[in-house]
Amino acid sequence: MSASSAFNEEKGGSSSVGEPEYGHDPASGGIFSSDYKRHDDLKEMLDSNKDSLKLEAMKRIVAMIARGKNASDLFPAVVKNVACKNIEVKKLVYVYLVRYAEEQQDLALLSISTFQRGLKDPNQLIRASALRVLSSIRVTIIVPIMMLAIKEAASDMSPYVRKTAAHAIPKLYSLDPEQKDQLIEVIEKLLADKTTLVAGSVVMAFEEVCPERIDLIHKNYRKLCNLLIDVEEWGQVVIINMLTRYARTQFLNPNMNESLLEEGSDKTFYGSDEDEDEEEEEKEKKAEAPMAKRKPYVMDPDHRLLLRNTKPLLQSRNAAVVMAVAQLYFHLAPKVEVGVIAKALVRLLRSHSEVQYVVLQNVATMSIKRRGMFEPYLKSFYIRSTDPTQIKVLKLEVLTNLANETNISTILREFQTYIKSMDKDFVAATIQAIGRCATNIGEVRDTCLNGLVQLLSNRDELVVAESVVVIKKLLQMQPEKHSDIIKHMAKLTDNIQVPMARASILWLIGEYCEHVPKIAPDVLRKMAKSFTNEEDIVKLQIINLAAKLYLTNSKQTKLLTQYVLNLAKYDQNYDIRDRARFIRQLIVPTEKSGALSKYAKKLFLALKPAPVLESPFKDRDHFQLGSLSHLLNAKAGGYQELPDWPEAAPDPSVRNVEVPEWTKCSSREKRKEKRVEKPFYSDSEGESGPTESADSESDSASGSEMGSGLEESGSGSESEGSEEGSESEEEEEEDEKDKKKIKKDLKKPVKESESEQSSEEEERKHQRKSDQQKSDSESESDEESDSESSQSESDDSDSEADVKKKKKAAESKPPPKPVKKDTKKEKKEMSLLDLDDFEPAASPQVTPVNSFLSNSLVTDLEGLSLSDAVLSPANISPCSALKSYELLHRIRGEGLSVEYCFSRQPFSPDGNMVAVQMQFTNNATSEAKNLHMEDVKLQSGMRVKEFPEIELLPAGETATAVMGIDFCDSTQAANFQLCTHTRKFFVSIQPPVGELMRPVFLTENEFKKEQGQLMGMNEITEKLTLDAKCRNEHTIVQRVTTAANLSRVPCGSDKECRFAGRTVTSGSLVLATVATKEGGAAQLTVNCEKMVIGTMLVKDVLLALTQ
């Protein structure tokens, strides 16, 4: 359709000639048209033979639905197109049918055969849409068809279709609950699915259909924990809530021993006193008995796995995920670890008011039991003037909960400013909060009372009324001290009109009438005057006051009391009439009155306990935090109670996954092979650093069992883990002597490799001197010295067995370099065999790169292995020259030609810049002067450090200069003018993505750990067939490091090459893995925080490996 016709349609005019007129349909703007045939044009379009018209009609119909318009009368016309061959039309038809299939069930049933055909469609989106429509037809007749479709979809190749099958399960269950058993079988099958796309949906189906079948989760528990980080956000919420309930049934309470331990420690301390009596000792033994019976708590590794894998989700951008993890930690974690959630919850307070409301409700509940958790963030709960009232009240609640002796002064100062607010409900809540602080913290009770009494002179009646109510509660704690306040409040009866406040004052005067004997009768006199005009709550208190004064001071108040009771006798409210009759019989004894009148004084003037001002959130934690029931403080429909902790731990072996025998054997053999190959790694892992060992200790041995064994094999049986541990220990004992030798040999070289970094600057100075003499070999030596530092580091962590294995490969291949190289190599071997003679301070001697340094010598130095000095192809760094790019051709530059290359050296003025080395050649007959840069044009964020001006370049001469460019981790070009004394040339430098990185050294463990954190969307995998010349490890390494400035990571496997680096500007980690298979097949995996860089790097490395 032409643009003009589309414009006409939107304006409501006629379309171009030869096309039907559809100007008045609601989607095109003529919404208020009175033309009732407005859908006829859409029906015509749907009936036409042109797919383009059908597509246009469907787009407009879906747009109508999106706007909330009713398009149900188009159902017959749309259903006809369900068999359309155009995929785009088909998708939109299915979208329409999902919306209206439930309303137009009879018509939808007519096309059910088409939906069944759609389930076999090669396009996964069509298969999923067909299933979605089928499950939306709410007719019991087609339940068997739906059941069959769900079962087939559950076995589909596409995870998207399996996800749709999981969504269809609750729909079918609500239609026909009798299908529950069959649906549970499908759920069990889908729970075993290893894709993250399906996990969230199937757990949702599990929660809807059979939440009580906890046995289905056992085998999948560890897998769900490990997949959790990569599941979509709403799936994460469902899984976390389900796992919270699961953990409460399967693990012991991590806080169960705390109180007993505290008691026990106190008793043993006092028990050590020599002068203690025998009786006390006996008591102590009895008290220690339960302590002795109860074993010290050790956290189940699976419990630790859940806590460890959910912790990173506290940084999620989705508030619901953060809230779900917070409630999981609150309900499941040891008290010492719960604190981590506080910071995440405080972060959510910067979100929308709706999110704040839910978060503050939960924080208010948490802060009652775990006050210390939120104390550091006290200021985050201070109230802003822009906060809605309900948020203000919740923040007040939290501040009141957090108040203690140390911070009460700042909190009360904050409350004073809140009282001046224009929001009256908020002011009332603040006064109540002050009252609660006063009752909870005795030291500030008098201060709070004085402050509240000052508020009694406030102009605002509501403030005064609320203060009266709170003062009444505070006075009940120690009334004898505060008779002055009671007198002051008695005077307020003339001014205060708020019923609750008047009633509170009257109750106070009546309750403590003995403290104010002169004022009380006068107050009753005034109240008797206005009795008929008062509110019901005030009338009741006037009657009470009259009764109490009659009993204590009948001389002055007898007539007043009778007058009040007579007025009450004829009141309109029956409560007041009943109260008057009851009190008259009680206090005025007659012949008819019973025995109760004798005890009237005791009844009316009994001591009443002071009210306890408690938080309304005190008992809410029996609801699962974050749930709707917790928010409403009432059990909502579909809420599942949080189970109590079990007394004894259930059998943990139910979560072990059985592995078939053949896989067990093969994996066991592989492990043994790996152990034989890598005696050095097992040692280095032990020495890898304090952080790893600390982590593993804190994880209570779960790190070794869960982190490595379980995630790789998927079985994770504890028995296997223990067997493997014992095997590896035996082998370690056998190889101990060898390792000690290796350790001795390694100590000094490691120091040397560390000091290499400090000596790099000296090397570069030497290189620059040699470059002035030999500019041609500039790029080669630069690359080699750089790769040497990374290569020698990786060689340090190479294993003995690995090198021996590669020795044969090196012997079988002809040496690539001339004989000279071998003699130098032998000399180097001699020096390395006598490593003990080296001085630690002699590090600069290890890598002297002088002007005479040749290609082969660099390679020799790189090829030397510390464990066994044999030159192996795996250890050789690529020695090919750096690629040069043309910046200015000599013809365009009128005799001046400029080439540039990325030297892969750190740019000393600014570490975030890429060093670009430029070579100027003057091919003209005249000299060139004042070579410099001008008019630099860059994308936002990019920076350039210009090269120093070259004052003179004689004819036929060459000069080099280095400039720095901060590309901001992008491949966008840096444009500038290259100027001489006569001309200006527009040029641009665009970096390949591989040059935006710098090498970084990682151990194998660190590589695996980092790779595990960069999964999901941060991982890109491509399959490729390697070029015939690129089948050996040496060539792969050479080509990858030529394409990208990465360093080699040591690897125990022959069939894997690993590389690591960081982007120059942001320091984002870039990990690359090339896994080779038989027949030249290979798989390239790139893990990078920046997906764009990862995608571009995959393309470049693929090109390098397949050329």
Side-chain angles (χ1 to χ4, degrees), residues 697-734:
E697 283 171 22
S698 68
D699 290 350
S700 67
S702 68
S704 57
E705 189 174 306
M706 298 304 305
S708 55
L710 299 180
E711 284 174 13
E712 283 173 20
S713 66
S715 65
S717 65
E718 290 175 0
S719 57
E720 275 189 24
S722 59
E723 283 171 25
E724 285 167 29
S726 59
E727 282 177 25
S728 60
E729 281 169 17
E730 287 167 19
E731 284 172 25
E732 277 173 34
E733 285 169 13
E734 289 168 14

Side-chain angles (χ1 to χ4, degrees), residues 500-511:
M500 189 66 202
R502 288 173 75 81
S504 296
I505 293 171
L506 293 173
W507 184 90
L508 266 178
I509 293 166
E511 188 66 20

Side-chain angles (χ1 to χ4, degrees), residues 4 106 111 223 225 428 470 498 554 628-629 644 671 817 1099:
S4 61
D106 296 339
S111 52
K223 183 196 71 190
C225 288
V470 174
V498 178
S554 58
L628 179 64
S629 300
D644 292 324
R671 284 183 205 129
K817 297 289 175 188
K1099 288 179 184 173

Side-chain angles (χ1 to χ4, degrees), residues 594-664:
L596 267 180
S597 58
K598 295 174 187 175
Y599 305 104
K601 229 174 189 178
K602 284 185 181 178
L603 285 171
F604 277 100
L605 301 172
L607 283 172
K608 297 172 183 67
V612 181
L613 297 175
E614 285 185 338
S615 167
F617 291 87
K618 190 181 179 191
D619 297 320
R620 276 205 197 181
D621 61 339
H622 66 275
F623 290 116
Q624 187 169 346
L625 293 186
S627 62
L628 179 64
S629 300
H630 173 267
L631 195 73
L632 302 172
N633 199 22
K635 192 171 179 179
Y639 172 74
Q640 289 159 28
E641 293 283 349
L642 199 63
D644 292 324
W645 293 102
E647 286 295 318
D651 181 17
S653 63
V654 292
R655 288 183 290 281
N656 296 342
V657 180
E658 291 177 12
V659 181
E661 284 301 315
W662 59 272
T663 55
K664 276 188 187 177

Side-chain angles (χ1 to χ4, degrees), residues 410-542:
T410 55
I411 289 177
L412 285 178
R413 234 187 347 263
E414 192 72 15
F415 284 175
Q416 280 175 346
T417 58
Y418 298 164
I419 288 166
K420 297 167 189 169
S421 169
M422 299 298 291
D423 185 343
K424 300 307 165 201
D425 293 335
F426 170 50
V427 171
T430 305
I431 294 167
Q432 287 174 8
I434 293 171
R436 265 184 54 204
C437 289
T439 53
N440 296 340
I441 302 160
E443 290 86 341
V444 294
R445 193 170 296 149
D446 293 341
T447 318
C448 291
L449 254 177
N450 294 337
L452 290 169
V453 169
Q454 284 173 8
L455 287 178
L456 295 177
S457 56
N458 196 299
R459 289 179 187 176
D460 193 335
E461 198 177 336
L462 278 170
V463 174
V464 177
E466 199 64 45
S467 303
V468 167
V469 174
V470 174
I471 288 170
K472 173 207 150 192
K473 290 174 181 173
L474 292 178
L475 287 180
Q476 280 181 262
M477 295 184 178
Q478 35 191 186
E480 62 285 345
K481 291 184 183 178
H482 303 294
S483 55
D484 293 341
I485 295 174
I486 298 172
K487 287 173 188 173
H488 180 66
M489 289 174 74
K491 293 172 189 173
L492 293 172
T493 49
D494 298 335
N495 305 322
I496 293 179
Q497 298 304 319
V498 178
M500 189 66 202
R502 288 173 75 81
S504 296
I505 293 171
L506 293 173
W507 184 90
L508 266 178
I509 293 166
E511 188 66 20
Y512 305 115
C513 53
E514 291 166 2
H515 297 293
V516 281
K518 294 178 182 177
I519 292 171
D522 199 45
V523 171
L524 181 62
R525 179 181 62 78
K526 285 182 179 179
M527 288 294 117
K529 277 184 187 179
S530 60
F531 183 87
T532 50
N533 300 323
E534 297 289 351
E535 291 287 331
D536 292 346
I537 189 170
V538 183
K539 286 178 179 175
L540 289 171
Q541 289 305 328
I542 294 170

Side-chain angles (χ1 to χ4, degrees), residues 320-334:
V321 176
V322 178
M323 194 61 247
V325 178
Q327 65 84 22
L328 179 135
Y329 261 74
F330 184 79
H331 290 306
L332 301 182

